Structure formats: structure tokens, C-alpha cells
Amino acid sequence: MRVRKRVLIICVLILLILYTARVIVVNKNADKVPVYIYDVGETVDFGNDYVDTVEECIDGYAVQVLGYEVVDTRELYERYNMGQADEATVKNTPFYCLLKVRIYNKDCDLGEEGGLMLDRYSLTGDNYMTLVSENVFCTIYPDMPGTSFSLRKGTSMEFELPYPITRTEGCTKEDMQKKAPMLEISEFPNRKLLKAG
């Protein structure tokens, strides 16, 4: 009986070592997505890059980050006449990052077939990632059809994109002021990040 247990333990250990070695080899040889980081003010083409699916490609569009502002939730509500922010809202979302961007349609003729989906482009930092608040965006820009739209070829528009920073993000207002966030516009086949400050 003891011999069987020893043989079984040795076999399990050998399988565990082989499995671990295989995982290490696969991870070491895996293709890594190239990461490109652009400075604030640079105009970056979307090209054939996308966040989740290739259908998101909007070749001909470009974006430029102009800066950012960190705003308390109450101040944001007051600034854009959004009513009174209740205590639960302020507790869960103490502040917003208003990212100032200019979006260009340099050479895209897709019309309504292809355009921007602002809710796909995340704001990232060392310990947080957040998406545009569609409700706040639509309040700031009541004439816009939402966070998905297209621009006429040869035109551009400037926006303040409202990114809520919730208490679960683990980021303080001081953290954001010390180290500027970055706008992520694509993950595949290239990851493109634009510095906000």
C-alpha cells in the first residue's frame, strides 16, 4: 500500500512539473501586443486598430487629447445644471475626470455605417480603469445622439468626456493630479494610449 501511495505521489509531482513547464514555455513564446504611448497634444490616427472586434475599426478618424480636469461630483452637477447630487451619488462617485479631446474625421466615408463609440475608450491609470458616463455626456451635450456617432469627412469636434471615478477605483483626486491618466483608444493589434497631461 505504501509503495502505491509513493508511486502515485511521484506521478502527480511529475505531472505538476510538466504542466508548469508547459505553461512557462507557452507564456514565454506568446505574442505580445505592441504598446504605443503618445504625448498630450499629439494627433493619433485610429487606423485599423480596435478595442474588442475588428468591426470597430474607424480608419480615417483621429483623436487628440488636449488635457484634463478633475472635478468634484457636486461641482460637475452644478456646472452643467444637472440638479442636486444626492449623498449616495457623491459617496459612490466622489469626482469625475473631464478629458478634453478633439476628434477628427480626416478621411472616413462610412457615414452612419462607421463612427465613434466613445463608451469603448477607457481612461486608465496605475490602479484604475473607467469608461465614459453616457448619462453625463448626454446631459453636457444634449444635441448629440449619445456616445456613438459619426462626423462628416473633413470635420472635427471638441469634447469634454466625463469619466466617473468611483470609490472602488482606488484612486484619489490627489493621485490623478500627481499622475495624469491616459486614454486607451485601442487594444488590438496595437494598444494605443494617449497621455492626458
Side-chain angles (χ1 to χ4, degrees), residues 98-124:
L98 295 177
L99 189 70
K100 295 169 181 64
V101 298
R102 176 167 286 282
I103 299 172
Y104 303 86
N105 180 347
K106 293 179 173 182
D107 190 31
C108 183
D109 278 332
L110 294 175
E112 292 180 13
E113 297 294 315
L116 298 157
M117 292 185 286
L118 297 179
D119 56 351
R120 309 294 279 161
Y121 313 129
S122 61
L123 190 73
T124 62

Side-chain angles (χ1 to χ4, degrees), residues 69 79-80 98-100 137 140-141 158-162:
E69 178 186 6
R79 183 185 296 182
Y80 293 107
L98 295 177
L99 189 70
K100 295 169 181 64
F137 181 84
I140 295 172
Y141 302 100
E158 200 168 299
F159 298 100
E160 279 189 329
L161 304 180

Side-chain angles (χ1 to χ4, degrees), residues 5 18 23 26 29 35 38 45 79 83 119 121 137 151 157 164 167 174 190 196:
K5 280 187 180 179
L18 290 172
V23 167
V26 167
N29 295 328
V35 178
Y38 301 91
D45 291 324
R79 183 185 296 182
D119 56 351
Y121 313 129
F137 181 84
L151 299 175
M157 285 186 80
R167 62 188 176 110
E174 291 76 29
N190 302 298

